[in-house]
Amino acid sequence: MAAAAAATAAAKGNGGGGGRAGAGDASGTRKKKGPGPLATAYLVIYNVVMTAGWLVIAVGLVRAYLAKGSYHSLYYSIEKPLKFFQTGALLEVGIVPSSVVLTSFQVMSRVFLIWAVTHSVKEVQSEDSVLLFVIAWTITEIIRYSFYTFSLLNHLPYLIKWARYTLFIVLYPMGVSGELLTIYAALPFVRQAGLYSISLPNKYNFSFDYYAFLILIMISYIPIFPQLYFHMIHQRRKILSHTEEHKKFE
């Protein structure tokens, strides 16, 4: 879900153009004003750092795989940078022209999966499903932050733009599958330990079943993911076809 939300947040923020750069967006006959010089500098630095961070994660995965000769339990080799850079994405909320709701949903859903599921339920960290969403997130974020960086600099290579609006076709279902399978794998351990659950009676007269909460989260993927995914399919047709038409007139 985090993967699909990432696409939609970007699409709503860039209108097919410069992503979080926000410069030159068309909305009818009016153009949105781009960020000022200081804001642009901050966003460039932020996106460069995040691109580098996810590259570190990618290199870490490759090095661990070559050293072990196996893809099992690779999570442990990149656990710290993954937590750091994914949690660092909280800085995006409210500072970018994308929808605050969509950006918050994208970031918080990933942070939740990292800390409230993968970190909290140690038993799932060796699951292959964790590697599935980590790989999907890593490729997606390297492309996404590169896209934003070059857009802010007004030098967006077509290859990055094409990758941004094409590779999600495989990466987002891959990421969502990994996320769902990881939550599913955590369920028996959550239930057995009563993790984060609050039972009655207590002085606040309040109860919370974390096991049931995780099931509700999994169910929420059913109506939300298809909408976000097909929205991106529509955005891909519109943006890439517009680029091709523009090339013909150059």
Side-chain angles (χ1 to χ4, degrees):
M1 189 66 61
T8 307
K12 296 227 176 188
N14 63 30
R20 296 180 188 182
D25 284 357
S27 178
T29 58
R30 300 177 61 186
K31 290 187 177 181
K32 295 180 182 178
K33 187 178 179 181
L38 288 177
T40 299
Y42 168 78
L43 289 171
V44 168
I45 292 170
Y46 172 79
N47 285 304
V48 167
V49 169
M50 294 300 281
T51 302
W54 285 96
L55 281 170
V56 167
I57 294 170
V59 171
L61 285 171
V62 173
R63 290 182 63 183
Y65 173 76
L66 294 176
K68 294 180 178 181
S70 171
Y71 61 86
H72 296 293
S73 302
L74 292 183
Y75 170 80
Y76 302 106
S77 64
I78 48 86
E79 180 180 5
K80 289 182 179 179
L82 177 66
K83 288 178 178 177
F84 180 83
F85 286 103
Q86 185 54 69
T87 306
L90 289 169
L91 293 172
E92 298 176 22
V93 180
I95 67 169
V96 298
S98 302
S99 165
V100 173
V101 174
L102 284 170
T103 303
S104 301
F105 178 76
Q106 167 205 341
V107 174
M108 292 307 299
S109 60
R110 286 190 177 187
V111 171
F112 174 83
L113 189 65
I114 287 293
W115 290 102
V117 179
T118 311
H119 171 78
S120 300
V121 185
K122 306 295 184 184
E123 292 85 354
V124 304
Q125 293 177 2
S126 59
E127 292 286 332
D128 293 342
S129 58
V130 173
L131 183 61
L132 197 63
F133 75 71
V134 168
I135 291 175
W137 289 6
T138 301
I139 298 173
T140 298
E141 296 300 68
I142 290 171
I143 295 170
R144 187 164 71 96
Y145 287 115
S146 297
F147 177 91
Y148 295 146
T149 300
F150 284 107
S151 295
L152 285 161
L153 298 173
N154 294 317
H155 291 288
L156 178 62
Y158 177 75
L159 180 61
I160 293 179
K161 186 173 186 177
W162 178 89
R164 178 76 184 91
Y165 289 98
T166 302
L167 296 186
F168 79 89
I169 295 172
V170 174
L171 292 174
Y172 292 164
M174 176 180 168
V176 165
S177 298
E179 293 165 22
L180 284 172
L181 289 171
T182 299
I183 296 173
Y184 180 77
L187 288 177
F189 302 104
V190 169
R191 190 171 197 175
Q192 182 180 6
L195 183 68
Y196 299 143
S197 295
I198 303 172
S199 58
L200 292 171
N202 58 67
K203 65 178 181 179
Y204 300 106
N205 197 30
F206 169 80
S207 65
F208 175 72
D209 189 341
Y210 187 56
Y211 175 85
F213 178 71
L214 289 179
I215 292 176
L216 288 176
I217 287 179
M218 293 177 69
I219 293 173
S220 73
Y221 276 66
I222 297 173
I224 296 175
F225 173 71
Q227 295 182 49
L228 299 179
Y229 187 73
F230 287 111
H231 172 78
M232 274 305 296
I233 293 289
H234 173 72
Q235 287 294 112
R236 180 183 186 275
R237 293 196 193 103
K238 182 173 71 173
I239 292 168
L240 294 187
S241 63
H242 175 76
T243 302
E244 291 297 330
E245 289 176 5
H246 180 70
K247 284 183 176 181
K248 290 178 182 178
F249 289 100
E250 287 183 342

